[in-house]
């Protein structure tokens, strides 16, 4: 066995990165919270976390040139995992706060959660149904609960769709294409199931 | 309604130590909030709330350290309340790994704080904690300092205003029921749940497992906060979930 993979948690100054870092360490990855290009360029995997508003996040990402670094990583087939807002940022456009363009690494838009009159933001545990088996979701039960905190959801293509959950209406919560993955829930806050998913991502990066 | 209702153990912390709750077996240090938190995570708690009751200003750093140690070891969401008076206070605990801050008296003194916090961190990080007491006229007033100081505000109106200003969740404690084990104040909980469009956490009075079911079914709460029912070893979180599930409430098991 080689050394454990080095995973960079991209730091653009928004949200809580410590939990992601510690959860990665818990599953045996070497995690670094960073925006440093040399660290990112030499990582075996990237995590794009995020809490907060989409337009502000994209602004910060562009200022730090993380958009370019992500493009370069994807071109090198380095695995990327977006978490929560990080999933949304992988898509083309979001309607949040008047609208903004995203990274465009996955195809589709970010729209308001189809709450159907339910309370927003959607906060809490929701059961996830899997649309197809993937290395990222290996070993997770059908209907496995994960922890969500969000007001917006992604609308991936059928090929990109991996998992859905329900809140008012059914919505996409896991998507991926090639080595670009994203989850709407917080694996780092989803107890044992979340740690399993991060462990799977670590294996993908190995 | 398939979304899962939450059970949230609450830990009162003074200078970094748990104030109540020492009846656990197999715990090396019952006063260590992180060890208790790990225990509750393992039992299936959906979330945790730490309420810092440290009086001294110097003692406040301990809550940041607590957030850090919790985030290092516990992989479920947790909220820190007590002594959050500014965006900077919130940034310190959120940056250390907490998921949300609960704001009580500071928001009553300066309601704009809720808006500032929501603008910087998002309303999903902002919990307004409301301590309510039944008034003689049948309404519910908002109180400070453990129910001793009346604010003159109506609890339901304050809940509505606070969520309009930016709070994404209401932690609603009945001061009449807190510590009684007589069950949650269902009328109050239901009134706030119906008046607001954010999740409401029922708090104060849980003494038996049937109370948790009542808070969800009759109180229309989205989550139940519990302290003594778990701290003194009366029930485990697992037992509470089993009980709720048997009574038809969807919970994470």
């Amino acid at each position: 066995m080689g050394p454990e993979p080095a995973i960079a948690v991209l730091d653009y100054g928004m949200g809580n990165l410590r939990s992601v870092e510690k959860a990665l360490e818990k599953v045996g990855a070497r995690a670094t919270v960073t925006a440093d290009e040399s660290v990112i360029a030499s990582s075996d995997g990237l995590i794009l976390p995020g809490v907060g508003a989409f337009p502000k996040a994209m602004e910060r990402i562009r200022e730090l040139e993380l958009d370019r670094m992500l493009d370069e990583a994807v071109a090198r087939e380095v695995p990327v995992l977006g978490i929560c807002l990080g999933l949304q940022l992988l898509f083309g456009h979001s309607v949040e706060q008047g609208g903004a363009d995203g990274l465009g690494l996955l195809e589709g838009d970010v729209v308001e959660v189809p709450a159907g009159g339910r309370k927003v933001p959607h906060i809490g545990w929701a059961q996830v149904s899997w649309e197809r088996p993937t290395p990222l979701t290996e070993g997770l039960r059908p209907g496995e609960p994960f922890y969500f905190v969000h007001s917006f959801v992604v609308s991936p293509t059928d090929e990109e769709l991996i998992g859905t959950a329900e809140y008012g209406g059914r919505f996409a919560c896991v998507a991926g294409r090639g080595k670009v993955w994203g989850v709407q829930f917080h694996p780092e806050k989803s107890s044992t199931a979340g740690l399993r998913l991060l462990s799977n991502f670590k294996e993908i990066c190995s | 309604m398939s979304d899962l209702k939450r059970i949230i153990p609450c830990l009162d912390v003074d200078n970094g130590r748990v104030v109540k709750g020492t009846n656990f077996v197999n715990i090396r240090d019952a006063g260590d909030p992180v060890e208790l938190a790990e225990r509750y995570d393992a039992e299936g708690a959906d979330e945790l709330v730490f309420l810092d009751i440290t009086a001294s200003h110097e003692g406040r750093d301990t809550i940041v350290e607590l957030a850090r140690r919790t985030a290092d070891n516990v992989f479920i969401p947790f909220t820190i309340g007590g002594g959050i008076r500014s965006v900077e206070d919130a940034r310190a605990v959120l940056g250390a790994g907490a998921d949300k801050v609960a704001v009580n008296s500071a928001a009553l003194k300066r309601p704009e704080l809720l808006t500032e916090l929501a603008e910087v961190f998002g309303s999903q990080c902002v919990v307004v904690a409301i301590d309510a007491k039944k008034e003689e006229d049948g309404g519910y007033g908002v109180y400070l300092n453990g129910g001793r100081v009346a604010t003159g505000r109506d609890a339901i109106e304050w809940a509505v205003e606070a969520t309009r200003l930016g709070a994404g969740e209401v932690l609603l404690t009945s001061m009449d029921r807190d510590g009684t084990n007589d069950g949650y104040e269902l009328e109050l909980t239901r009134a706030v749940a119906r008046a607001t469009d954010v999740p409401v956490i029922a708090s104060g009075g849980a003494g038996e497992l049937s109370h948790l079911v009542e808070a969800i079914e009759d109180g229309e709460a989205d989550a139940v906060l519990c302290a003594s029912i778990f701290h003194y070893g009366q029930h485990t979180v697992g037992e509470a979930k089993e009980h709720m599930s048997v009574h038809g409430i969807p919970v994470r098991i």
Side-chain angles (χ1 to χ4, degrees):
Chain A
M1 289 231 330
E4 295 297 355
I7 297 179
V9 181
L10 303 188
D11 180 10
Y12 51 96
M14 284 173 75
N16 175 350
L17 310 186
R18 185 176 180 85
S19 305
V20 179
E21 179 190 12
K22 291 297 163 183
L24 286 167
E25 287 173 3
K26 178 90 176 175
V27 301
R30 288 177 293 143
T32 312
V33 175
T34 186
D36 184 281
E37 180 154 15
S38 61
V39 176
I40 291 168
S42 63
S43 293
D44 303 308
L46 306 182
I47 287 194
L48 181 63
V51 166
F54 189 108
K56 178 76 183 165
M58 279 309 301
E59 192 185 309
R60 294 285 300 139
I61 282 169
R62 293 208 176 90
E63 277 166 19
L64 294 163
E65 297 183 38
L66 292 172
D67 49 343
R68 176 180 55 76
M69 294 177 215
L70 277 159
D71 283 342
E72 289 167 7
V74 171
R76 292 196 311 274
E77 298 203 328
V78 171
V80 174
L81 175 67
I83 295 176
C84 194
L85 178 64
L87 161 73
Q88 298 171 12
L89 295 168
L90 297 173
F91 283 77
H93 184 83
S94 172
V95 298
E96 188 174 358
Q97 290 181 0
D101 286 338
L103 295 164
L105 295 170
L106 294 176
E107 207 176 305
D109 290 339
V110 183
V111 296
E112 279 164 21
V113 66
R118 310 288 308 281
K119 297 167 178 180
V120 174
H122 169 215
I123 304 176
W125 296 83
Q127 295 180 287
V128 175
S129 304
W130 311 112
E131 301 295 320
R132 58 184 165 100
T134 69
L136 185 70
T137 54
E138 198 183 304
L140 296 168
R141 298 178 295 172
E144 188 79 64
F146 288 88
Y147 187 77
F148 291 81
V149 182
H150 65 124
S151 300
F152 294 85
V153 296
V154 298
S155 54
T157 63
D158 287 348
E159 292 98 56
E160 290 170 347
L161 182 65
I162 295 168
T164 62
E166 196 175 319
Y167 185 71
R170 191 152 278 283
F171 64 91
C173 65
V174 185
R177 183 172 62 199
K179 292 199 169 176
V180 179
W181 312 86
V183 294
Q184 183 60 65
F185 48 75
H186 287 273
E188 78 281 12
K189 293 290 177 176
S190 295
S191 203
T192 325
L195 293 176
R196 175 62 198 258
L197 185 138
L198 290 174
S199 178
N200 289 344
F201 182 69
K202 181 200 80 172
E203 293 303 321
I204 291 169
C205 298
S206 296
Chain B
M1 298 300 163
S2 64
D3 57 318
L4 304 172
K5 301 300 179 182
R6 291 169 285 159
I7 296 183
I8 308 177
C10 177
L11 304 169
D12 285 349
V13 177
D14 187 3
N15 276 302
R17 305 284 295 172
V18 174
V19 179
K20 304 185 268 194
T22 53
N23 266 16
F24 275 131
V25 287
N26 302 327
I27 284 233
R28 291 187 302 275
D29 178 1
D32 179 12
V34 178
E35 188 156 354
L36 268 178
E38 285 183 83
R39 165 83 174 231
Y40 285 134
D41 181 0
E43 283 185 3
D46 297 303
E47 229 174 294
L48 297 165
V49 168
F50 297 94
L51 287 182
D52 184 25
I53 58 169
T54 307
S56 68
H57 188 71
E58 300 74 53
R60 297 236 156 267
D61 290 344
T62 61
I63 201 70
V64 178
E65 181 55 25
L66 170 62
R68 196 182 317 282
R69 287 182 52 232
T70 303
D72 290 358
N73 295 286
V74 179
F75 299 101
I76 55 175
F78 65 98
T79 301
I80 300 261
I84 306 291
R85 292 186 175 81
S86 65
V87 165
E88 287 318 304
D89 289 343
R91 194 189 305 279
V93 293
L94 294 172
D99 298 276
K100 312 177 200 178
V101 290
V103 191
N104 191 334
S105 54
L108 285 161
K109 283 182 194 123
R110 211 169 61 79
E112 318 83 89
L113 175 62
L114 294 168
T115 308
E116 293 165 14
L117 292 170
E119 278 174 359
V120 176
F121 307 110
S123 64
Q124 75 283 349
C125 290
V126 186
V127 181
V128 64
I130 300 176
D131 293 344
K133 230 162 115 169
K134 194 155 193 164
E135 306 285 18
E136 285 173 6
D137 67 1
Y140 294 91
V142 180
Y143 281 73
L144 286 171
N145 297 358
R148 288 190 297 274
V149 180
T151 64
R153 279 181 181 270
D154 176 79
I156 295 153
E157 284 171 16
W158 172 231
V160 171
E161 185 186 342
T163 55
R164 186 179 54 75
L165 288 169
E169 199 165 19
V170 178
L171 168 50
L172 181 66
T173 303
S174 163
M175 302 311 293
D176 301 311
R177 298 300 178 91
D178 204 26
T180 65
N181 296 339
D182 288 342
Y184 296 97
E185 170 63 274
L186 301 177
E187 185 190 318
L188 167 71
T189 308
R190 186 168 51 235
V192 172
R194 289 186 179 178
T196 58
D197 55 4
V198 302
V200 173
I201 305 167
S203 161
E208 14 182 298
L209 298 181
S210 61
H211 294 155
L212 312 185
V213 174
E214 286 170 6
I216 305 289
E217 287 190 339
D218 302 330
E220 301 179 16
D222 296 273
V224 286
L225 195 86
C226 304
S228 55
I229 195 171
F230 297 140
H231 296 337
Y232 297 110
Q234 193 182 344
H235 292 290
T236 65
V237 178
E239 285 167 11
K241 291 213 156 163
E242 180 70 31
H243 184 86
M244 289 170 84
S245 183
V246 163
H247 286 80
I249 296 174
V251 289
R252 179 178 70 100
I253 293 183

